[in-house]
Coordinates of all heavy atoms in Angstrom, one line a residue:
M22 N 140.6 -66.6 -224.7 CA 141.6 -67.1 -223.7 C 141.1 -66.9 -222.3 O 140.6 -65.8 -222.0 CB 142.9 -66.3 -223.9 CG 144.1 -67.0 -223.3 SD 145.6 -66.0 -223.4 CE 146.0 -66.3 -225.1
S23 N 141.1 -67.8 -221.5 CA 140.6 -67.7 -220.2 C 141.7 -67.1 -219.2 O 142.9 -67.6 -219.3 CB 140.1 -69.0 -219.7 OG 141.1 -70.0 -219.6
K24 N 141.3 -66.3 -218.4 CA 142.2 -65.7 -217.5 C 142.5 -66.6 -216.3 O 141.6 -67.2 -215.8 CB 141.6 -64.3 -217.0 CG 142.5 -63.5 -216.1 CD 141.9 -62.2 -215.8 CE 142.8 -61.4 -214.9 NZ 142.6 -61.8 -213.4
V25 N 143.8 -66.8 -216.0 CA 144.1 -67.6 -214.9 C 143.8 -66.9 -213.6 O 144.3 -65.9 -213.3 CB 145.6 -68.0 -214.9 CG1 145.9 -69.0 -213.7 CG2 145.9 -68.7 -216.2
L26 N 143.0 -67.6 -212.8 CA 142.7 -67.0 -211.4 C 143.8 -67.5 -210.5 O 143.8 -68.5 -210.0 CB 141.3 -67.5 -211.0 CG 140.1 -66.7 -211.3 CD1 138.9 -67.4 -210.7 CD2 140.3 -65.3 -210.7
N27 N 144.6 -66.5 -210.2 CA 145.7 -66.9 -209.3 C 145.5 -66.5 -207.9 O 146.4 -66.4 -207.1 CB 147.1 -66.3 -209.8 CG 147.0 -64.8 -209.9 OD1 146.1 -64.2 -209.6 ND2 148.1 -64.2 -210.4
E28 N 144.2 -66.2 -207.6 CA 143.9 -65.9 -206.2 C 143.3 -67.1 -205.5 O 142.8 -67.0 -204.4 CB 142.9 -64.7 -206.1 CG 143.5 -63.4 -206.7 CD 142.5 -62.3 -206.7 OE1 141.4 -62.5 -206.1 OE2 142.8 -61.3 -207.3
T29 N 143.4 -68.2 -206.2 CA 142.7 -69.4 -205.7 C 143.7 -70.4 -205.2 O 144.7 -70.7 -205.9 CB 141.8 -70.0 -206.8 OG1 141.0 -69.0 -207.3 CG2 141.0 -71.2 -206.2
C30 N 143.5 -70.9 -204.1 CA 144.4 -71.9 -203.5 C 144.2 -73.2 -204.3 O 143.1 -73.7 -204.6 CB 144.0 -72.2 -202.0 SG 144.8 -73.6 -201.4
P31 N 145.3 -73.8 -204.8 CA 145.2 -75.0 -205.6 C 144.8 -76.2 -204.9 O 144.5 -77.2 -205.4 CB 146.6 -75.2 -206.2 CG 147.5 -74.5 -205.2 CD 146.7 -73.3 -204.6
L32 N 144.8 -76.2 -203.6 CA 144.5 -77.4 -202.7 C 143.0 -77.4 -202.3 O 142.4 -78.4 -202.3 CB 145.4 -77.4 -201.5 CG 146.9 -77.5 -201.8 CD1 147.7 -77.6 -200.5 CD2 147.2 -78.7 -202.7
C33 N 142.4 -76.2 -202.0 CA 141.1 -76.2 -201.6 C 140.1 -75.3 -202.4 O 138.9 -75.3 -202.2 CB 141.0 -75.7 -200.1 SG 141.5 -74.0 -199.9
N34 N 140.7 -74.6 -203.4 CA 139.9 -73.8 -204.3 C 139.3 -72.7 -203.6 O 138.3 -72.0 -204.2 CB 138.9 -74.7 -205.1 CG 139.6 -75.5 -206.1 OD1 140.5 -75.1 -206.8 ND2 139.2 -76.8 -206.2
Q35 N 139.7 -72.3 -202.4 CA 139.2 -71.1 -201.8 C 140.2 -70.0 -202.1 O 141.3 -70.2 -202.6 CB 139.1 -71.3 -200.3 CG 138.2 -72.5 -199.9 CD 136.8 -72.2 -200.2 OE1 136.2 -71.2 -199.9 NE2 136.2 -73.2 -200.8
S36 N 139.8 -68.8 -201.8 CA 140.7 -67.6 -202.0 C 142.0 -67.8 -201.1 O 141.9 -68.2 -199.9 CB 140.0 -66.3 -201.6 OG 141.0 -65.3 -201.5
N37 N 143.2 -67.6 -201.7 CA 144.3 -67.8 -200.9 C 144.8 -66.6 -200.2 O 145.8 -66.7 -199.4 CB 145.5 -68.3 -201.8 CG 145.8 -67.4 -203.0 OD1 145.5 -66.2 -202.9 ND2 146.3 -67.9 -204.0
N38 N 144.1 -65.5 -200.4 CA 144.5 -64.2 -199.7 C 145.9 -63.8 -199.8 O 146.4 -63.2 -198.9 CB 144.1 -64.5 -198.2 CG 142.8 -63.9 -197.8 OD1 142.5 -62.8 -198.3 ND2 142.1 -64.5 -196.9
C39 N 146.5 -64.2 -200.8 CA 147.9 -63.9 -201.0 C 148.0 -62.6 -201.7 O 147.5 -62.4 -202.8 CB 148.6 -65.0 -201.8 SG 150.4 -64.7 -202.0
C40 N 148.8 -61.7 -201.1 CA 149.0 -60.3 -201.7 C 149.9 -60.4 -202.9 O 149.7 -59.6 -203.8 CB 149.7 -59.4 -200.7 SG 148.8 -59.3 -199.1
N41 N 150.7 -61.4 -203.0 CA 151.6 -61.5 -204.1 C 150.9 -61.8 -205.4 O 151.4 -61.6 -206.5 CB 152.7 -62.6 -203.9 CG 153.6 -62.2 -202.8 OD1 153.7 -61.1 -202.4 ND2 154.3 -63.2 -202.3
S42 N 149.7 -62.3 -205.3 CA 148.9 -62.7 -206.4 C 147.9 -61.6 -206.8 O 147.1 -61.8 -207.6 CB 148.2 -64.0 -206.2 OG 147.3 -64.0 -205.1
K43 N 147.9 -60.5 -206.0 CA 147.0 -59.5 -206.3 C 147.6 -58.2 -206.7 O 147.1 -57.1 -206.5 CB 146.1 -59.2 -205.0 CG 145.2 -60.4 -204.8 CD 144.3 -60.1 -203.6 CE 143.3 -61.2 -203.4 NZ 142.5 -61.1 -202.2
D44 N 148.8 -58.3 -207.3 CA 149.5 -57.1 -207.8 C 149.9 -56.1 -206.7 O 150.1 -54.9 -207.0 CB 148.7 -56.4 -208.9 CG 148.5 -57.3 -210.1 OD1 149.5 -58.1 -210.4 OD2 147.5 -57.2 -210.8
K45 N 149.9 -56.5 -205.5 CA 150.4 -55.7 -204.4 C 151.9 -55.8 -204.4 O 152.5 -56.7 -205.0 CB 149.8 -56.0 -203.1 CG 148.2 -55.7 -203.1 CD 147.7 -56.1 -201.8 CE 146.2 -55.9 -201.8 NZ 145.5 -56.4 -200.7
S46 N 152.5 -54.9 -203.7 CA 154.0 -55.0 -203.6 C 154.4 -56.3 -202.8 O 153.8 -56.7 -201.9 CB 154.6 -53.8 -202.9 OG 153.7 -53.4 -201.9
L47 N 155.5 -56.9 -203.3 CA 156.0 -58.1 -202.7 C 156.5 -57.8 -201.3 O 157.0 -56.7 -201.0 CB 157.1 -58.7 -203.6 CG 156.7 -59.1 -205.0 CD1 157.9 -59.5 -205.8 CD2 155.6 -60.2 -205.0
G48 N 156.5 -58.8 -200.5 CA 157.1 -58.7 -199.2 C 156.2 -58.3 -198.1 O 156.6 -58.3 -196.9
I49 N 154.9 -58.1 -198.4 CA 154.0 -57.7 -197.3 C 152.9 -58.8 -197.1 O 152.1 -58.6 -196.3 CB 153.3 -56.4 -197.6 CG1 152.5 -56.5 -198.9 CG2 154.3 -55.2 -197.7 CD1 151.5 -55.4 -199.1
C50 N 153.0 -59.9 -197.7 CA 152.0 -60.9 -197.6 C 152.4 -61.9 -196.4 O 153.5 -62.0 -196.1 CB 151.9 -61.7 -198.9 SG 150.6 -62.9 -198.8
W51 N 151.3 -62.4 -195.9 CA 151.6 -63.4 -194.8 C 152.5 -64.5 -195.2 O 153.2 -65.1 -194.4 CB 150.2 -64.0 -194.3 CG 149.5 -64.8 -195.4 CD1 148.5 -64.3 -196.3 CD2 149.6 -66.2 -195.7 NE1 148.2 -65.3 -197.1 CE2 148.8 -66.5 -196.7 CE3 150.4 -67.2 -195.1 CZ2 148.7 -67.8 -197.3 CZ3 150.3 -68.4 -195.6 CH2 149.5 -68.7 -196.7
C52 N 152.4 -64.9 -196.5 CA 153.2 -66.1 -197.0 C 154.7 -65.8 -196.9 O 155.5 -66.7 -197.0 CB 152.7 -66.5 -198.3 SG 153.0 -65.4 -199.7
N53 N 155.1 -64.5 -196.9 CA 156.5 -64.2 -196.8 C 157.0 -64.6 -195.4 O 158.3 -64.7 -195.3 CB 156.8 -62.8 -197.2 CG 156.5 -62.5 -198.6 OD1 155.5 -62.0 -199.0 ND2 157.5 -62.8 -199.4
E54 N 156.2 -64.6 -194.4 CA 156.6 -64.8 -193.1 C 156.5 -66.3 -192.8 O 157.0 -66.7 -191.7 CB 155.8 -64.0 -192.1 CG 155.5 -62.6 -192.6 CD 156.0 -61.6 -191.7 OE1 155.7 -61.6 -190.4 OE2 156.8 -60.8 -192.1
E55 N 155.8 -67.0 -193.6 CA 155.6 -68.4 -193.3 C 156.7 -69.3 -193.9 O 157.2 -68.9 -195.0 CB 154.2 -68.9 -193.8 CG 153.1 -68.3 -193.0 CD 152.9 -68.9 -191.7 OE1 153.5 -70.0 -191.4 OE2 152.2 -68.3 -190.9
S56 N 156.9 -70.5 -193.4 CA 157.7 -71.4 -194.1 C 156.8 -72.5 -194.7 O 156.0 -73.0 -194.0 CB 158.8 -72.0 -193.1 OG 158.1 -72.7 -192.1
F57 N 157.0 -72.8 -195.9 CA 156.3 -73.8 -196.6 C 157.1 -75.1 -196.7 O 158.1 -75.1 -197.3 CB 155.8 -73.3 -198.0 CG 154.8 -72.2 -198.0 CD1 155.2 -70.9 -197.8 CD2 153.5 -72.5 -198.2 CE1 154.2 -69.9 -197.8 CE2 152.5 -71.5 -198.2 CZ 152.9 -70.2 -197.9
P58 N 156.6 -76.1 -196.0 CA 157.3 -77.4 -196.1 C 157.4 -77.8 -197.6 O 156.5 -77.7 -198.4 CB 156.4 -78.4 -195.4 CG 155.5 -77.6 -194.5 CD 155.4 -76.3 -195.3
R59 N 158.5 -78.3 -198.0 CA 158.8 -78.7 -199.4 C 157.7 -79.7 -199.9 O 157.2 -79.7 -200.9 CB 160.1 -79.4 -199.5 CG 160.5 -79.8 -200.9 CD 161.9 -80.4 -200.9 NE 162.9 -79.4 -200.7 CZ 163.6 -78.8 -201.7 NH1 163.4 -79.2 -202.9 NH2 164.5 -77.9 -201.5
E60 N 157.2 -80.6 -198.9 CA 156.3 -81.7 -199.2 C 154.9 -81.1 -199.6 O 154.2 -81.8 -200.4 CB 156.1 -82.6 -198.0 CG 157.4 -83.3 -197.7 CD 158.3 -82.5 -196.8 OE1 157.8 -81.7 -196.0 OE2 159.5 -82.6 -197.0
I61 N 154.6 -79.9 -199.2 CA 153.3 -79.4 -199.5 C 153.1 -79.1 -201.0 O 152.0 -79.2 -201.5 CB 152.9 -78.1 -198.7 CG1 151.4 -77.9 -198.6 CG2 153.7 -76.9 -199.1 CD1 151.0 -76.8 -197.6
F62 N 154.2 -78.8 -201.6 CA 154.2 -78.5 -203.0 C 154.0 -79.8 -203.9 O 153.6 -79.7 -205.0 CB 155.4 -77.8 -203.4 CG 155.5 -76.4 -202.8 CD1 156.5 -76.2 -201.8 CD2 154.7 -75.4 -203.2 CE1 156.6 -74.9 -201.2 CE2 154.8 -74.2 -202.6 CZ 155.7 -73.9 -201.6
N63 N 154.2 -80.9 -203.2 CA 154.0 -82.2 -204.0 C 152.5 -82.4 -204.1 O 152.1 -83.2 -205.0 CB 154.6 -83.4 -203.1 CG 156.1 -83.3 -203.1 OD1 156.7 -82.6 -203.9 ND2 156.7 -84.0 -202.1
Q64 N 151.7 -81.7 -203.4 CA 150.2 -81.8 -203.5 C 149.6 -80.9 -204.5 O 148.4 -81.0 -204.9 CB 149.6 -81.6 -202.2 CG 150.1 -82.5 -201.1 CD 149.3 -82.4 -199.8 OE1 148.2 -81.8 -199.8 NE2 149.8 -83.1 -198.7
V65 N 150.5 -80.0 -205.0 CA 150.0 -79.0 -206.0 C 150.2 -79.6 -207.4 O 151.3 -80.1 -207.7 CB 150.7 -77.7 -205.9 CG1 150.2 -76.6 -206.9 CG2 150.6 -77.1 -204.5
P66 N 149.2 -79.6 -208.2 CA 149.4 -80.0 -209.6 C 150.5 -79.3 -210.3 O 150.6 -78.1 -210.1 CB 148.1 -79.7 -210.3 CG 147.1 -79.6 -209.2 CD 147.8 -79.1 -208.0
P67 N 151.4 -80.0 -211.0 CA 152.6 -79.4 -211.5 C 152.4 -78.2 -212.4 O 153.2 -77.2 -212.4 CB 153.2 -80.5 -212.4 CG 152.7 -81.7 -211.8 CD 151.3 -81.4 -211.3
D68 N 151.3 -78.1 -213.1 CA 151.0 -77.0 -214.0 C 150.6 -75.8 -213.2 O 150.5 -74.7 -213.7 CB 150.0 -77.4 -215.1 CG 148.7 -77.8 -214.4 OD1 148.7 -78.5 -213.4 OD2 147.6 -77.4 -215.0
Q69 N 150.3 -76.0 -211.9 CA 149.8 -74.8 -211.1 C 150.9 -74.4 -210.1 O 150.8 -73.4 -209.5 CB 148.5 -75.2 -210.3 CG 147.4 -75.4 -211.3 CD 146.1 -75.8 -210.5 OE1 146.2 -76.1 -209.3 NE2 145.0 -75.8 -211.2
L70 N 152.0 -75.2 -210.1 CA 153.0 -74.9 -209.2 C 153.7 -73.5 -209.5 O 153.9 -73.2 -210.7 CB 154.1 -76.0 -209.3 CG 154.9 -76.2 -208.0 CD1 154.0 -76.6 -206.8 CD2 155.8 -77.4 -208.3
R71 N 153.9 -72.7 -208.5 CA 154.5 -71.4 -208.6 C 153.6 -70.4 -209.3 O 153.9 -69.3 -209.6 CB 155.8 -71.4 -209.4 CG 156.9 -72.2 -208.6 CD 158.2 -72.0 -209.2 NE 159.3 -72.4 -208.3 CZ 159.8 -71.6 -207.4 NH1 159.4 -70.3 -207.3 NH2 160.7 -72.0 -206.6
K72 N 152.4 -70.8 -209.7 CA 151.4 -69.9 -210.2 C 150.3 -69.6 -209.2 O 149.9 -68.4 -209.1 CB 150.7 -70.5 -211.5 CG 151.7 -70.5 -212.7 CD 150.9 -71.1 -213.8 CE 151.9 -71.4 -215.0 NZ 151.3 -72.3 -215.9
L73 N 150.0 -70.6 -208.5 CA 148.9 -70.4 -207.5 C 149.5 -70.5 -206.1 O 150.3 -71.4 -205.8 CB 147.8 -71.5 -207.6 CG 147.1 -71.4 -208.9 CD1 146.1 -72.5 -209.0 CD2 146.4 -70.1 -209.1
C74 N 149.1 -69.6 -205.2 CA 149.6 -69.6 -203.8 C 148.7 -70.6 -203.0 O 147.5 -70.6 -203.2 CB 149.6 -68.2 -203.3 SG 151.2 -67.4 -203.1
I75 N 149.3 -71.2 -202.1 CA 148.6 -72.1 -201.2 C 148.0 -71.2 -200.1 O 148.8 -70.3 -199.6 CB 149.5 -73.1 -200.6 CG1 149.9 -74.1 -201.7 CG2 148.8 -73.9 -199.5 CD1 151.1 -75.0 -201.4
C76 N 146.8 -71.4 -199.6 CA 146.2 -70.5 -198.6 C 146.7 -70.9 -197.3 O 147.3 -72.0 -197.0 CB 144.7 -70.5 -198.7 SG 144.0 -72.1 -198.1
K77 N 146.5 -70.0 -196.3 CA 147.0 -70.2 -195.0 C 146.4 -71.4 -194.3 O 147.1 -72.1 -193.6 CB 146.8 -68.9 -194.2 CG 147.6 -68.9 -192.9 CD 147.6 -67.5 -192.3 CE 148.6 -67.4 -191.2 NZ 148.8 -66.0 -190.7
S78 N 145.1 -71.6 -194.5 CA 144.5 -72.7 -193.8 C 145.0 -74.0 -194.3 O 145.1 -74.9 -193.5 CB 142.9 -72.5 -193.9 OG 142.5 -72.6 -195.2
C79 N 145.3 -74.1 -195.6 CA 145.9 -75.4 -196.1 C 147.2 -75.6 -195.6 O 147.6 -76.7 -195.2 CB 145.8 -75.4 -197.6 SG 144.3 -75.8 -198.3
L80 N 148.0 -74.5 -195.4 CA 149.3 -74.6 -194.9 C 149.3 -75.1 -193.5 O 150.0 -76.0 -193.1 CB 150.0 -73.3 -195.0 CG 151.4 -73.2 -194.3 CD1 152.4 -74.1 -195.0 CD2 151.9 -71.8 -194.3
E81 N 148.4 -74.5 -192.7 CA 148.3 -74.9 -191.3 C 147.8 -76.3 -191.1 O 148.2 -77.1 -190.3 CB 147.5 -73.9 -190.5 CG 148.3 -72.6 -190.2 CD 147.5 -71.5 -189.7 OE1 146.2 -71.6 -189.5 OE2 148.1 -70.4 -189.4
K82 N 146.8 -76.7 -192.0 CA 146.3 -78.0 -192.0 C 147.4 -79.0 -192.3 O 147.5 -80.1 -191.7 CB 145.2 -78.1 -193.0 CG 144.3 -79.4 -192.9 CD 143.0 -79.1 -193.7 CE 142.5 -80.5 -194.1 NZ 142.5 -80.7 -195.6
F83 N 148.2 -78.7 -193.2 CA 149.3 -79.5 -193.7 C 150.3 -79.8 -192.5 O 150.8 -80.8 -192.3 CB 150.0 -79.0 -194.9 CG 151.1 -79.9 -195.5 CD1 150.7 -80.8 -196.4 CD2 152.4 -79.8 -195.1 CE1 151.7 -81.6 -197.0 CE2 153.3 -80.6 -195.6 CZ 153.0 -81.5 -196.5
K84 N 150.6 -78.7 -191.8 CA 151.6 -78.7 -190.8 C 151.0 -79.6 -189.6 O 151.8 -80.3 -188.9 CB 151.9 -77.4 -190.2 CG 152.8 -76.6 -191.2 CD 153.1 -75.2 -190.6 CE 154.2 -74.5 -191.4 NZ 154.4 -73.1 -190.9
I85 N 149.8 -79.6 -189.4 CA 149.2 -80.4 -188.3 C 149.2 -81.9 -188.7 O 149.4 -82.7 -187.9 CB 147.7 -79.9 -188.0 CG1 147.8 -78.5 -187.4 CG2 147.0 -80.9 -187.1 CD1 146.4 -77.8 -187.3
E86 N 148.9 -82.1 -190.0 CA 148.7 -83.5 -190.4 C 150.1 -84.1 -190.6 O 150.2 -85.4 -190.7 CB 147.9 -83.5 -191.7 CG 146.4 -83.2 -191.4 CD 145.6 -83.1 -192.7 OE1 146.2 -83.2 -193.7 OE2 144.4 -83.0 -192.6
H87 N 151.2 -83.4 -190.8 CA 152.5 -84.0 -191.2 C 153.5 -83.7 -190.1 O 153.3 -82.9 -189.3 CB 152.9 -83.4 -192.5 CG 152.1 -83.9 -193.6 ND1 150.9 -83.3 -193.9 CD2 152.2 -84.9 -194.5 CE1 150.3 -83.9 -195.0 NE2 151.1 -84.8 -195.3
Ligands
ZN17 ZN1 143.8 -73.7 -199.4

């Protein structure tokens, strides 16, 4: 069985730097302070939704482009 790498951003395949995916306590990650536009999740493959965190650079890129 292959281990799911949940430290990888589903959009760019780089490390998402999300503390929530690294077994750290919830509430201290940058993503808790950010607002994620609903539309950005449309770009995440459905089977990876809510499993993989989007990285900060993809979030910022998305906000600039939309
Ligand atoms: Zn990314």
Side-chain angles (χ1 to χ4, degrees):
M22 199 187 281
S23 64
K24 187 174 178 282
V25 179
L26 266 182
N27 58 4
E28 295 174 13
T29 307
C30 170
L32 300 182
C33 67
N34 289 317
Q35 304 293 310
S36 170
N37 57 26
N38 260 323
C39 183
C40 303
N41 291 344
S42 59
K43 289 183 176 173
D44 293 332
K45 294 180 185 170
S46 36
L47 298 175
I49 58 165
C50 184
W51 64 269
C52 65
N53 289 99
E54 318 241 304
E55 292 284 346
S56 61
F57 288 80
R59 182 179 289 262
E60 296 79 35
I61 198 171
F62 295 110
N63 294 339
Q64 303 190 9
V65 180
D68 60 319
Q69 296 180 346
L70 209 55
R71 295 190 162 275
K72 290 180 188 162
L73 297 178
C74 258
I75 296 165
C76 74
K77 194 166 192 170
S78 58
C79 280
L80 174 64
E81 283 171 357
K82 191 164 156 249
F83 186 88
K84 283 180 173 177
I85 291 167
E86 290 175 352
H87 293 80

